[in-house]
């Protein structure tokens, strides 16, 4: 199993490395919201020039807030940003989507087939979440068609949340192949 490989590597890591003690508040007073895509691991921080302790990094599927959670802006992402702002000194937020995101153009038929193959009843989930149909289920996951539009919308949800203060919120898109950043909305 992969977990055994991780545990073995960790044993070697802790024997060979001594990590410096750093505070839990981000040195750059920034939170970065990005995607959970595995292609961003390591490349993302390198492309942005970030080191351990520089920023809070919040990852969601698609660097997004699903449509049902946008109403009222009380999602887990907003809660996490509130903790970063009020408890850790975050004073700036960057929402960074990426090209070729798996949530862009998500296929409802493939989603339902995958759920069924793994023993999950999509009809029960659609009923419990009140999403109506397969397209509603895709929207529940947070799927979108245009990463630029999605980034702008997430930026606006964060800016307009009644739970957060007015601080700069920027929107960017990173190219998954080159690491180049494109500014979509400067806060």
């Amino acid at each position: 199993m992969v977990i055994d490989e991780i545990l073995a590597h960790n044993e070697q890591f802790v024997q060979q490395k001594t990590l410096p003690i750093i505070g839990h508040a981000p040195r750059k007073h920034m939170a970065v919201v990005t995607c959970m895509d595995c292609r961003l691991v390591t490349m993302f921080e390198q492309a942005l020039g970030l080191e351990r302790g520089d920023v809070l990094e919040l990852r969601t599927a698609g660097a997004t807030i699903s449509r049902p959670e946008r109403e009222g802006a009380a999602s887990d992402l907003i809660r996490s940003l509130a903790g970063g702002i009020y408890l850790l000194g975050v004073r700036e937020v960057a929402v960074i989507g990426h090209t070729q995101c798996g949530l862009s153009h998500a296929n409802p038929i493939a989603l339902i087939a995958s759920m069924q193959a793994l023993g999950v009843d999509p009809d029960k989930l659609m009923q419990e979440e009140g999403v109506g149909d397969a397209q509603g289920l895709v929207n529940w996951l947070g799927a979108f068609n245009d990463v630029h539009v999605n980034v702008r919308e997430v930026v606006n949800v964060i800016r307009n949340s009644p739970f957060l203060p007015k601080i700069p919120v920027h929107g960017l898109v990173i190219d998954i192949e080159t690491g180049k950043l494109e500014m979509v909305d400067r806060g």
Side-chain angles (χ1 to χ4, degrees):
M1 294 182 79
V2 175
I3 193 65
D4 294 321
E5 293 173 26
I6 290 171
L7 290 169
H9 176 82
N10 183 254
E11 272 301 314
Q12 290 179 350
F13 177 83
V14 295
Q15 289 175 5
Q16 297 170 359
K17 302 267 186 194
T18 302
L19 295 175
I21 296 174
I22 59 175
H24 61 273
R27 284 188 295 267
K28 295 183 184 273
H29 305 285
M30 176 178 255
V32 176
V33 176
T34 195
C35 185
M36 65 183 195
D37 192 303
C38 64
R39 297 171 293 174
L40 292 171
V41 173
T42 307
M43 178 278 273
F44 184 79
E45 293 80 10
Q46 291 173 353
L48 277 62
L50 298 175
E51 299 290 331
R52 182 173 175 254
D54 281 349
V55 300
L56 293 184
E57 202 170 298
L58 307 170
R59 292 183 180 253
T60 69
T64 195
I65 301 169
S66 68
R67 298 232 175 265
E69 289 185 321
R70 290 181 185 187
E71 196 71 28
S75 71
D76 194 48
L77 178 64
I78 297 296
R79 180 192 59 78
S80 296
L81 285 171
I85 291 166
Y86 300 126
L87 300 174
L88 302 175
V90 166
R91 296 298 178 260
E92 194 170 355
V93 176
V95 177
I96 306 178
H98 68 90
T99 59
Q100 301 175 25
C101 184
L103 274 185
S104 63
H105 308 289
N107 182 330
I109 295 168
L111 172 63
I112 286 176
S114 178
M115 291 175 76
Q116 290 170 333
L118 293 169
V120 174
D121 181 358
D123 292 324
K124 182 178 177 186
L125 181 58
M126 286 186 278
Q127 182 180 4
E128 286 180 9
E129 291 298 319
V131 297
D133 59 11
Q135 187 57 50
L137 188 59
V138 169
N139 292 341
W140 174 80
L141 279 178
F144 52 86
N145 292 323
D146 184 316
V147 67
H148 296 81
V149 170
N150 183 65
V151 165
R152 281 188 197 97
E153 290 175 356
V154 172
V155 164
N156 286 329
V157 171
I158 294 169
R159 283 181 184 156
N160 295 317
S161 172
F163 307 110
L164 302 176
K166 301 302 178 205
I167 62 174
V169 182
H170 314 285
L172 302 98
V173 172
I174 190 168
D175 187 299
I176 200 74
E177 293 178 350
T178 67
K180 181 169 177 46
L181 283 172
E182 174 189 356
M183 181 66 74
V184 174
D185 188 334
R186 181 180 289 275

